[in-house]
Amino acid sequence: MHSSNNKLNIACFASDKLINSLSELKHEFDFNLLFVKNPEKELQNIDSNVLLVDSEILNDKYIVRFINNLETYSKLLISNSEKFPFISFDEKLKRPISVVDLNKRLVKILTSKQFNKNSSIKIKEYKLNKNEKKFNY
């Protein structure tokens, strides 16, 4: 088991029901969950690049717009439904979820983000993808 100091921080914006469930299982995770009630105020104080989002809290259009505009965060959506068209996310887990699946998805998100970061070079206002040798505008 890793010490909690070596674990990555994952910001979690979820319903009270999911927060309670995740809190009971936190010792099983390969990461630290940091629960967020007000993302606009709290996310700036959290050292995390990943946001775990519960679809049950997405009934407010303002919250959806705010989360969609978080470009520096990779987002994992936990949902009851296969389709969730009004929010952008990098990965999705359909309920019920397992600890193993959640750990795997978060590792996949973090690995993918690091690969993309290491694969591009910013030149003025352009990005050069080192793997494809193409410029992105």
Side-chain angles (χ1 to χ4, degrees):
M1 187 84 150
H2 297 69
S3 73
S4 62
N5 293 340
N6 294 334
K7 292 182 178 182
L8 294 170
N9 293 327
I10 306 296
C12 180
F13 188 42
S15 64
D16 290 338
K17 186 171 132 181
L18 183 59
I19 288 173
N20 289 339
S21 297
L22 293 174
S23 293
E24 290 177 20
L25 298 169
K26 66 183 175 185
H27 62 278
E28 299 290 332
F29 297 129
D30 296 335
F31 49 84
N32 293 318
L33 274 176
L34 307 171
F35 299 109
V36 176
K37 287 292 188 182
N38 186 338
E40 190 172 18
K41 291 180 181 177
E42 295 176 54
L43 284 177
Q44 61 192 356
N45 299 323
I46 293 177
D47 180 27
S48 174
N49 292 329
V50 179
L51 181 61
L52 181 69
V53 180
D54 180 5
S55 65
E56 291 184 13
I57 54 95
L58 298 177
N59 53 5
D60 183 343
K61 290 179 184 179
Y62 175 78
I63 291 171
V64 171
R65 192 174 326 120
F66 177 78
I67 291 172
N68 279 335
N69 289 332
L70 291 172
E71 295 178 5
T72 59
Y73 284 83
S74 296
K75 295 169 228 149
L76 173 62
L77 179 69
I78 296 177
S79 174
N80 294 328
S81 160
E82 284 295 323
K83 296 181 181 177
F84 230 88
F86 56 85
I87 187 163
S88 63
F89 52 87
D90 300 286
E91 286 286 325
K92 180 178 167 224
L93 273 174
K94 188 173 182 215
R95 282 188 179 92
I97 61 173
S98 72
V99 171
V100 172
D101 286 341
L102 184 56
N103 280 329
K104 283 181 182 179
R105 289 291 174 97
L106 288 168
V107 167
K108 181 179 175 184
I109 287 174
L110 292 166
T111 304
S112 175
K113 185 173 184 116
Q114 190 62 40
F115 177 80
N116 290 337
K117 181 180 174 183
N118 292 340
S119 296
S120 63
I121 301 171
K122 187 162 182 152
I123 303 172
K124 296 188 180 182
E125 67 271 6
Y126 303 100
K127 278 190 179 179
L128 173 63
N129 185 318
K130 294 188 276 187
N131 296 322
E132 296 178 9
K133 297 183 174 92
K134 292 181 180 178
F135 277 108
N136 296 326
Y137 302 100

